[in-house]
Amino acid sequence: MDQRADPPPTWIRLDTAERNRYWWRTALVTLTFTGIAVTAGLTTQAADRWWSVGSIAVFYSLILLTLVNQVNGATCLTPEGMEFRTFFTRRSVPWSEVTAIEKRLRTVRSGTWSEIRVVRVKGRALTVPGAYTARWHDARFEAKLATIRQHWARAAEG
């Protein structure tokens, strides 16, 4: 009779060094948008100035919310499934709904990003919070991917 104890929940999130690196990136983006807003404010006519600066501020606010959401995101792996937690949302995905766990590369102007996606039986694939990197051959990222796949395989056995 197999009486294995359920493993404790495992957290997938950015560690301190990764969070600090992405906070510096957020600071750089903030400085860039501040410069753009100041330039727009100084170069546009008075009647259009607030529209220009306001539009830039609204656009930057959306970007800032996305960056904060990424840095604060985490995933809890339990025997029942995955719990995604971000700054704004909470979502659970049972292991029975998962059909694949894949590494996805996204290439944008600033470089190539790797992220982990959970493909579900029904519905769209979901990005795993706390598991992304902009580095090639990132051992921490690969360890997170392996941990998620191990939990999924363990759930499939039981």
Side-chain angles (χ1 to χ4, degrees):
M1 186 158 105
D2 186 24
Q3 292 185 342
R4 291 183 289 187
D6 286 337
T10 302
W11 285 94
I12 303 293
R13 60 170 45 115
L14 299 179
D15 64 19
T16 303
E18 291 169 321
R19 273 195 312 274
N20 287 339
R21 187 170 65 244
Y22 291 115
W23 280 125
W24 279 108
R25 177 187 66 147
T26 302
L28 180 63
V29 170
T30 300
L31 286 174
T32 301
F33 272 93
T34 301
I36 292 169
V38 168
T39 302
L42 294 174
T43 60
T44 56
Q45 295 179 7
D48 296 330
R49 183 173 298 142
W50 295 112
W51 284 106
S52 299
V53 173
S55 299
I56 292 167
V58 168
F59 182 68
Y60 169 70
S61 297
L62 296 174
I63 291 173
L64 181 64
L65 291 174
T66 301
L67 293 172
V68 168
N69 206 32
Q70 281 182 334
V71 172
N72 289 320
T75 301
C76 182
L77 305 176
T78 65
E80 294 79 32
M82 306 171 81
E83 296 174 13
F84 298 158
R85 298 179 184 188
T86 66
F87 195 71
F88 300 107
T89 63
R90 304 274 188 269
R91 175 181 280 181
S92 292
V93 177
W95 292 118
S96 60
E97 289 184 15
V98 177
T99 60
I101 297 172
E102 57 189 26
K103 176 180 173 180
R104 179 177 158 200
L105 296 175
R106 285 184 16 205
T107 302
V108 293
R109 285 186 179 178
S110 61
T112 301
W113 292 82
S114 298
E115 60 188 14
I116 299 173
R117 304 273 291 175
V118 174
V119 180
R120 299 180 298 164
V121 174
K122 292 182 180 176
R124 61 185 175 88
L126 301 172
T127 302
V128 175
Y132 65 93
T133 186
R135 296 180 173 192
W136 287 96
H137 309 295
D138 187 343
R140 292 177 187 154
F141 176 80
E142 295 298 332
K144 291 174 187 179
L145 178 60
T147 300
I148 293 170
R149 286 180 173 162
Q150 287 170 356
H151 276 74
W152 181 43
R154 192 176 303 131
E157 290 174 359

